[in-house]
Amino acid sequence: MELSTWIAFFAAAWAISLSPGAGAVAAMSAGLNHGFRRGYTMTFGLVTGIWTQVLVVGVGLGALIAASSLAFSVVKWVGVAYLVWLGIKQWRAPAVPLAAAGNEGVDVSRRELFVRGWIVNALNPKGTIFLLAVVPQFLELSRPLLPQYAVIALTLAFTDLVVMAGYTALASRVLRALKAPSHLRAMNRSFGALFVVAGTLLAFFKRA
C-alpha cells in the first residue's frame, strides 16, 4: 500500500472509530460499570470483532452476506437481539457505586467483557456492508492483497484502541463522580436505552 493511500485510509479509520455506534456505547457502558482498567478489556473484544469483519470481507463472505437476503437477515437479527438484550441487562443493573480500585466489576470477568465486545462488532452486518463499501477503495489490486488487509486491520485496531480508551475513561470518570443511587440508576437506564436504540437502528438497516 502506497504511503499516500495509507494516510487517506488512516484518516478514514479515525472517522470510523469516532462515529457513534454500538461499539462506542459498549465501551462507555463497560467503563461506567467496571471502571477503566477492567472495562477497557471490552475494547480488545471490539477490535477482535473488527478483525473478524475484515477477515469476512477479505475472504469474500462479506459479499455473500451482502448478496444473500437470508444470510444478511440471520446475522442482522442475531445482532439486533444481542444489542437489545444488553440494553435490558444494563437498564436493570443495580445502582451500585464503584468501590475500591481493586474491586471494580468483580461480578463480570475480563473474558466475558472481551466476548461481549467481540459479539457487538462481529455480529453487525452494517459493519460488513460498510467495510465492503470502503475497503476496496484503498486496495491496489495489482499488488498482493493479504499484506494490504493486514495493514487495514492493524490501522483500524490502532484507532479503535485509542478512541475506545477515551470513551471508556470518560464513562469511568463519570461513574466515580456519581454517588447517589438515583444518579447511577439514571446512568444505567440511559446506557440501556442507547443499546436498545442501537439495536433498533440496526433492525431498520437495509442493504443498498
Side-chain angles (χ1 to χ4, degrees), residues 51-65 128 132 135 139 145-146 149:
W51 284 352
T52 302
Q53 291 275 16
V54 173
L55 179 62
V56 165
V57 172
V59 299
L61 293 179
L64 173 63
I65 293 175
T128 306
L132 279 172
V135 169
L139 293 175
L145 293 179
L146 182 59
Y149 275 113

Side-chain angles (χ1 to χ4, degrees), residues 109-128:
S109 68
R110 284 184 167 85
R111 179 180 179 181
E112 184 176 350
L113 287 171
F114 177 91
V115 172
R116 287 183 185 180
W118 178 82
I119 293 175
V120 165
N121 271 349
L123 295 181
N124 189 344
K126 185 176 181 179
T128 306

Side-chain angles (χ1 to χ4, degrees), residues 177-191:
L178 297 177
K179 302 296 182 182
S182 60
H183 295 161
L184 295 171
R185 191 177 300 110
M187 289 295 295
N188 283 335
R189 291 181 176 179
S190 296
F191 278 99

Side-chain angles (χ1 to χ4, degrees), residues 6-32:
W6 177 80
I7 291 175
F9 181 76
F10 187 57
W14 282 105
I16 294 169
S17 295
L18 286 168
S19 60
V25 174
M28 289 188 288
S29 175
L32 173 71

